[in-house]
Amino acid sequence: MEEDHFTEEISIQETEEQTAESNLDEDAPMEGEDLPDGDLSEETPEDIQVTETDNDAQDLQESETADRAVWGSPAEAVGISAGQANAATSRRTPKARKTEAPVLTLESRGEVETESAREDTIWHEIHNAYRTRKILTGQLGGIEQTDSGKTIVIVDYKGFRIVIPIKEMMIDLAQGRSPSGKEYAELMLRQNKILGNMLGAEIDFIVKGIDSKTRSVVASRREAMLKKRQIFYLDTDAAGMYRVYEGRIVQARVIAVAEKVVRVEIFGVECSIMARDLAWDWIGDAHERFSVGDQVLVRILSVRREGLEDMGVKADVKSVTQDTHHENLKKCRIQSKYAGKVTDVHKGVVYIRLSNGVNAVAHACYDYRTPGKKDDVSFAVTKIDEERGVAVGIITRIIRQNL
């Protein structure tokens, strides 16, 4: 009896399954049969995404066409041929590829961004900046000469190559004049030297032209600097105050470093700071403490606001830091000897920075050799000058010469 009952249950279950399958077959549309109106069961998220992408591509093409009427193509903007622009670009045209399975990650439900996806994201960011005229920041990575003899600057923005013509770098050495002949050659030499010193610096730019096929970009640093000048030097805040004014401490970018001077960019205005204004203790070589690409705090000493094109500032670094050279003088005792490094030699007077941070001046040297810059010396204190904040003494010997 139990076996008959079990067999009957199996028979009933098989009958129900066959009935359900028959119903499913009747509800499903036949091959080639149209779906009823309003049925979106066959539309996938991929189909929707493709439609959105097509719309974006159409908007980008219309935007590029309108901009070419003003600036021309990226290649025309810098005076190079389209072939050269294509050869110069660091990105190849992406090809249509089949849908691939997602990356298999080590962690459950983890996500990994591929190189292609990362590039697409950054290009979308550049495209949006081009449409909105947003200021972007990149690193000055190279200086090139085109076949036509023009100089262009190459800026790296998250792996993308940005081309800036030299006239859009806002290095106006001629100050409105149009030199020619030998004077023009000297001017170009100076400009290239300045650009060479700026290699590695962070600079702002506004995208002026793009080519989606080759992913080449032309930009202007000049427009970015003028825009920042307007915002920080001419416009006022809610309280009616300028954002950059005398006495305010601001952040600046180091764009060039020489032995006795550091050049910084302060919100669209460039300013040179001499070594004496960089620190309370004497600096023999600014390269020892500052590098291109650094960000430093400076105090605004004065501002000239004659106009958007005629603007200047004076600033220093040492007033932002604490003055400790008078306190350091207490570390020195008369008739004592200290090690130090020569920072400068001028008219027979040797200027030294002692290892304890004290500035020292020597008028004589007992060593048979002549002390030079960056030499390590032994210094004997004969007098403490509180008013000038320096120790006065004699160089007893040269420990190590900087040859």
Side-chain angles (χ1 to χ4, degrees), residues 11-50:
S11 176
I12 294 173
Q13 184 177 1
E14 290 177 351
T15 304
E16 290 177 349
E17 290 177 353
Q18 292 174 0
T19 304
E21 291 177 357
S22 175
N23 292 337
L24 286 175
D25 293 339
E26 291 176 358
D27 294 339
M30 298 293 291
E31 183 177 357
E33 182 181 350
D34 295 334
L35 288 170
D37 294 339
D39 191 346
L40 300 179
S41 60
E42 290 298 316
E43 186 174 24
T44 63
E46 288 77 7
D47 297 329
I48 299 174
Q49 181 65 34
V50 168

Side-chain angles (χ1 to χ4, degrees), residues 133-138 164 168-170 203-208 219-232 253 265 267-269 308:
R133 295 298 187 261
K134 178 184 176 182
I135 296 177
L136 300 179
T137 302
I164 301 180
E168 294 296 325
M169 281 296 294
M170 207 170 183
I203 64 172
D204 299 320
F205 61 89
I206 290 180
V207 178
K208 299 296 296 181
S220 170
R221 181 183 183 233
R222 179 186 184 83
E223 284 203 15
M225 293 183 71
L226 292 179
K227 185 175 182 179
K228 294 182 75 173
R229 288 183 179 189
Q230 181 69 44
I231 296 171
F232 293 97
R253 292 193 187 118
E265 186 249 313
F267 298 102
V269 179
L308 204 59

Side-chain angles (χ1 to χ4, degrees), residues 259-327:
E259 187 178 24
K260 291 294 184 181
V261 64
V262 169
R263 191 160 183 83
V264 298
E265 186 249 313
I266 307 172
F267 298 102
V269 179
E270 295 184 2
C271 168
S272 295
I273 304 177
M274 304 303 293
R276 62 177 177 270
D277 296 323
L278 294 175
W280 292 104
D281 55 328
W282 292 334
I283 298 178
D285 190 345
H287 291 96
E288 297 174 1
R289 304 192 188 184
F290 300 92
S291 300
V292 173
D294 289 349
Q295 295 181 352
V296 296
L297 293 179
V298 302
R299 187 185 300 275
I300 303 298
L301 303 180
S302 64
V303 182
R304 189 183 75 253
R305 311 175 199 268
E306 299 298 330
L308 204 59
E309 298 279 353
D310 186 11
M311 194 172 292
V313 296
K314 289 185 179 180
D316 78 338
V317 177
K318 73 176 185 180
S319 64
V320 179
T321 61
Q322 186 179 1
D323 181 5
T324 58
H325 72 289
H326 284 286
E327 288 292 327

Side-chain angles (χ1 to χ4, degrees), residues 40-328:
L40 300 179
S41 60
E42 290 298 316
E43 186 174 24
T44 63
E46 288 77 7
D47 297 329
I48 299 174
Q49 181 65 34
V50 168
T51 304
E52 293 176 352
T53 304
D54 292 342
N55 292 336
D56 289 344
Q58 183 177 359
D59 293 341
L60 173 59
Q61 184 177 2
E62 292 175 355
S63 177
E64 290 179 6
T65 303
D67 192 74
R68 285 171 188 267
V70 180
W71 251 69
S73 67
E76 294 169 351
V78 295
I80 60 179
S81 64
Q84 292 170 354
N86 295 342
T89 183
S90 61
R91 293 289 177 268
R92 294 182 178 179
T93 307
K95 297 181 180 179
R97 53 181 179 272
K98 297 181 180 179
T99 304
E100 298 178 355
V103 178
L104 184 61
T105 59
L106 296 175
E107 296 181 2
S108 177
R109 297 182 180 180
E111 293 184 1
V112 176
E113 187 179 30
T114 63
E115 182 69 19
S116 174
R118 190 186 72 85
E119 290 180 5
D120 291 342
T121 301
I122 298 172
W123 178 253
H124 184 67
E125 181 182 346
I126 294 174
H127 170 221
N128 286 339
Y130 164 64
R131 294 178 120 182
T132 60
R133 295 298 187 261
K134 178 184 176 182
I135 296 177
L136 300 179
T137 302
Q139 186 180 57
L140 199 159
I143 306 164
E144 296 180 0
Q145 295 286 335
T146 65
D147 293 340
S148 58
K150 293 184 178 181
T151 302
I152 58 174
V153 174
I154 308 302
V155 177
D156 176 74
Y157 180 74
K158 299 181 180 180
F160 276 84
R161 171 189 172 99
I162 312 297
V163 176
I164 301 180
I166 190 171
K167 64 180 180 180
E168 294 296 325
M169 281 296 294
M170 207 170 183
I171 303 176
D172 191 11
L173 299 178
Q175 297 180 350
R177 296 181 295 109
S178 299
S180 59
K182 183 179 179 181
E183 187 179 359
Y184 177 79
E186 292 177 353
L187 183 66
M188 290 298 101
L189 187 62
R190 287 180 60 196
Q191 282 188 341
N192 289 334
K193 186 177 180 180
I194 291 173
L195 289 174
N197 291 333
M198 289 177 62
L199 281 174
E202 283 187 350
I203 64 172
D204 299 320
F205 61 89
I206 290 180
V207 178
K208 299 296 296 181
I210 60 177
D211 189 337
S212 295
K213 293 182 179 180
T214 60
R215 288 196 168 179
S216 56
V217 184
V218 172
S220 170
R221 181 183 183 233
R222 179 186 184 83
E223 284 203 15
M225 293 183 71
L226 292 179
K227 185 175 182 179
K228 294 182 75 173
R229 288 183 179 189
Q230 181 69 44
I231 296 171
F232 293 97
Y233 291 88
L234 298 180
D235 293 344
T236 56
D237 56 17
M241 294 284 293
Y242 292 119
R243 290 174 174 81
V244 177
Y245 52 83
E246 183 178 337
R248 185 169 190 179
I249 298 176
V250 301
Q251 201 170 25
R253 292 193 187 118
V254 177
I255 60 173
V257 180
E259 187 178 24
K260 291 294 184 181
V261 64
V262 169
R263 191 160 183 83
V264 298
E265 186 249 313
I266 307 172
F267 298 102
V269 179
E270 295 184 2
C271 168
S272 295
I273 304 177
M274 304 303 293
R276 62 177 177 270
D277 296 323
L278 294 175
W280 292 104
D281 55 328
W282 292 334
I283 298 178
D285 190 345
H287 291 96
E288 297 174 1
R289 304 192 188 184
F290 300 92
S291 300
V292 173
D294 289 349
Q295 295 181 352
V296 296
L297 293 179
V298 302
R299 187 185 300 275
I300 303 298
L301 303 180
S302 64
V303 182
R304 189 183 75 253
R305 311 175 199 268
E306 299 298 330
L308 204 59
E309 298 279 353
D310 186 11
M311 194 172 292
V313 296
K314 289 185 179 180
D316 78 338
V317 177
K318 73 176 185 180
S319 64
V320 179
T321 61
Q322 186 179 1
D323 181 5
T324 58
H325 72 289
H326 284 286
E327 288 292 327
N328 289 337

